[in-house]
Amino acid sequence: MMEEITIKSEFGHSYLVLHNNVEEKDLYLLNMIINNKMKGFLPCKESRSENELFLYYEITFKKSIEKEYENRNMSFEEIYTLFQKINFVMENSNSFLLDPNFFVIDPQYMFFDLESNELGLLYVPYNFGINNITVNFPYQSCYYKLADFLLEKIIYEQ
């Protein structure tokens, strides 16, 4: 089976599920996201079947940035706050010795918690590429998808 991303609901919970028949090369990254609750990271658990790895990211009561701004534009304050939250998560990842190149900075996979309005980012602890989403590219290039999205959503004032 190839790499894929699906949404799954189980027992009142919603999950973003990543499937990959990967041989882990860096168990540290995987163990860190599974065994630690890190602010700004989508909570993750794993499931294995033979040589296949499934990562279940908790998205219950969360809404993607893409869905949040589907029918409306973003103000400067909203964009500024979004980048502050992304920056916080990136800095937080450094304190756990996690490589920021493994974050998926794509509005479709960045989630706001509907209760706390906290940002949760998807962290994939291995090379992954599907549906124009890739991780472990040079750090700056991960912002292109977000930048394209924001350019369409920004409110231009005259």
Side-chain angles (χ1 to χ4, degrees), residues 6-147:
T6 57
I7 303 289
K8 186 180 256 188
S9 292
E10 293 179 346
F11 307 110
H13 290 270
S14 296
Y15 298 98
L16 182 72
V17 182
L18 270 64
H19 173 233
N20 193 345
N21 50 355
V22 66
E23 295 176 21
E24 292 105 305
K25 293 189 171 54
D26 192 339
L27 287 175
Y28 174 77
L29 297 178
L30 180 62
N31 286 329
M32 286 300 290
I33 66 165
I34 290 172
N35 297 318
N36 295 291
K37 185 174 181 174
M38 296 176 281
K39 192 168 182 154
F41 287 65
L42 289 177
C44 182
K45 64 181 183 177
E46 71 175 325
S47 175
R48 294 179 182 269
S49 172
E50 296 179 22
N51 287 338
E52 298 177 331
L53 173 66
F54 296 87
L55 295 179
Y56 285 72
Y57 294 88
E58 177 80 44
I59 57 171
T60 307
F61 303 119
K62 292 177 175 50
K63 190 175 194 180
S64 73
I65 291 175
E66 182 180 71
K67 291 288 183 202
E68 177 70 22
Y69 294 101
E70 190 172 47
N71 297 316
R72 67 182 180 101
N73 289 333
M74 295 178 77
S75 68
F76 170 77
E77 291 79 19
E78 289 171 313
I79 293 172
Y80 182 76
T81 301
L82 175 63
F83 277 102
Q84 281 184 315
K85 291 178 179 187
I86 293 170
N87 185 53
F88 171 81
V89 175
M90 296 289 180
E91 286 180 0
N92 193 32
S93 73
N94 288 334
S95 65
F96 289 97
L97 303 176
L98 295 174
D99 185 344
N101 289 324
F102 290 96
F103 281 107
V104 178
I105 306 297
D106 181 322
Q108 185 178 359
Y109 301 106
M110 301 166 68
F111 293 85
F112 283 121
D113 186 296
L114 296 175
E115 295 173 352
S116 67
N117 203 32
E118 290 296 318
L119 180 66
L121 297 180
L122 177 63
Y123 191 88
V124 181
Y126 50 80
N127 292 335
F128 186 83
I130 188 169
N131 298 340
N132 298 321
I133 300 160
T134 48
V135 295
N136 202 13
F137 265 122
Y139 180 60
Q140 293 80 7
S141 68
C142 71
Y143 283 97
Y144 292 157
K145 254 197 153 152
L146 179 60

